[in-house]
Amino acid sequence: MTDSTLEPTGSDPSLHAPEASPSVGGAGSVVMRAVGHVQSPRTEPIDDDWDGITATIHLDPSQFTEDSLEGLDAFSHIEVVYVFDRVEEQAITTAARHPRGNRDWPMVGVFAQRAKGRPNRIGVSICNLIRVEGLQLTVSALDAIDGSPVLDIKPYMQEFAPRGEIRQPDWSRELMAGYWTCPEPLKDR
Amino acid sequence: MTDSTLEPTGSDPSLHAPEASPSVGGAGSVVMRAVGHVQSPRTEPIDDDWDGITATIHLDPSQFTEDSLEGLDAFSHIEVVYVFDRVEEQAITTAARHPRGNRDWPMVGVFAQRAKGRPNRIGVSICNLIRVEGLQLTVSALDAIDGSPVLDIKPYMQEFAPRGEIRQPDWSRELMAGYWTCPEPLKDR
C-alpha cells in the first residue's frame, strides 16, 4: 500500500478537480493536491510507540525536482502536514467525547484534542530528518501510516516554538505517555 | 474583509464540491472545507512584527457548536492550520530561490523554507490562546491575515515539540529575527 491512496477513490465527479492546483472553491471549500506520500512499515493506525518507526516521504516526481528540497538537509527536523485518509467520514466527531474513549479523562471537543477523526483529517507532526536523497526524505518517528498523502513539508525553526509558559491538562500528559516510547505493558502484548 | 474569502471565488464548477466534506478525490486531490476564518487587524501580508497582533478565529456556526471547543481553555497554546488564500497561483514557486529575495542568503527549495507561496498554501502556526467565548477564539501573535480560511485547530501539547538536538542554518535565524518583535529600523518606517 504505497501509491494506492493517491489513486482516485471518490465517486462524486465534482470532487475530481482536473488539475487540482490549490484553489478556494465554493462554500469555503479548498482543493488541495498531495505533494507526495508516506511509505512506512506501520500499515495500521496504532496510537502509540512511534519512536521505533523509520519512514520515507516520496515527493511526486510529476510535480517536483530535487530543486524543491535544496537546502533542507541543513535542518535537523521537519514539520509534515498530511492527511489521515483512512479515517471514514462517519468516524469524524465534532461533539465532546472522552479521548481514546477513556472515561478517566474528561469529555473534550474535537478541537481540544488531536484525535485523527477530525474535520479535514489533517495531521501535523514534527519529526527528525535523517536523510534527503533525490525526491525521498528518510525520517524517524513520523506518526503517519503507510500511504498517507502528504500536503506540505516545512523546515522546523526554533523561532516557531510556542513562547511563554505552556499550560496543558493532566489528561493530555497521561495520553501522551506512551506515544513515542511505548510503556512496558503495551510492549509485552 | 472577513467572511468574503469564504464565498465562492473559483470559476471552475468542478472545484465547487457541493458539501465539501473531507474526501480524497482524483489524481491525489483532497477537498477540504474551512472550519472557520481569521479576523485580524492585519489585512495585508506583512512579513514581520506579529507579536502585537491580537486576532479572533470564528468557527463556522453551520458546522460547529460550543461543544467542539469544550476543554480547549485548559491549554495555553493552540496550533492553527490555515490557508494563505491571497497567494495567487503564479506566486507559487517550487524551484530554489533566495528567501525573501535576499541574496545574502542561499538559494533554497520551497520545502526548505516557510514562505507562503508554496504548494497547497498551508500555514501552520502555534499561538497563544487568550480566551474562548462561544465559537470565537481570541489569540495573540497568529501570523495569518484577516479573512484567512482556517482548516484545523489543535491543542498544543509539549510532547509534540521536536526531540533531540535542533539544527537549522544561520539564514533562517536571521530571517526570523524580526518575525515576532520588530527590529527598530522597521518600526520606525
Side-chain angles (χ1 to χ4, degrees), chain A residues 1-177:
Chain A
M1 187 160 60
T2 52
D3 274 318
S4 61
T5 54
L6 299 181
E7 295 300 306
T9 58
S11 57
D12 181 345
S14 70
L15 298 178
H16 293 222
E19 273 308 312
S21 51
S23 305
V24 174
S29 71
V30 184
V31 180
M32 299 202 175
R33 181 180 182 187
V35 300
H37 70 275
V38 174
Q39 183 176 16
S40 173
R42 187 166 279 189
T43 56
E44 297 296 326
I46 297 170
D47 283 330
D48 281 325
D49 203 18
W50 288 99
D51 254 348
I53 305 291
T54 299
T56 315
I57 298 171
H58 297 261
L59 283 191
D60 178 359
S62 77
Q63 299 180 67
F64 304 102
T65 65
E66 297 179 20
D67 208 31
S68 301
L69 293 170
E70 177 86 28
L72 186 59
D73 58 2
F75 293 88
S76 58
H77 293 75
I78 57 172
E79 187 163 41
V80 181
V81 182
Y82 62 93
V83 183
F84 299 117
D85 67 322
R86 245 60 55 87
V87 172
E88 302 287 341
E89 247 175 82
Q90 57 269 28
I92 298 176
T93 315
T94 61
R97 62 178 185 80
H98 300 288
R100 295 193 185 174
N102 185 338
R103 292 178 169 274
D104 292 341
W105 296 333
M107 304 266 281
V108 296
V110 71
F111 295 125
Q113 49 183 296
R114 297 182 70 109
K116 60 186 176 303
R118 60 193 308 107
N120 293 320
R121 305 177 304 174
I122 296 173
V124 177
S125 200
I126 295 166
C127 61
N128 262 85
L129 178 62
I130 299 174
R131 200 166 45 245
V132 180
E133 289 167 303
L135 292 180
Q136 293 184 23
L137 287 71
T138 305
V139 295
S140 75
L142 174 62
D143 56 357
I145 64 172
D146 189 50
S148 300
V150 173
L151 297 179
D152 196 12
I153 295 163
K154 296 173 192 285
Y156 182 76
M157 301 175 186
Q158 276 186 306
E159 293 83 356
F160 280 97
R163 290 157 310 129
E165 193 195 344
I166 296 168
R167 188 168 44 82
Q168 68 185 84
D170 290 342
W171 69 261
S172 67
R173 297 195 185 277
E174 292 167 23
L175 181 149
M176 291 301 296

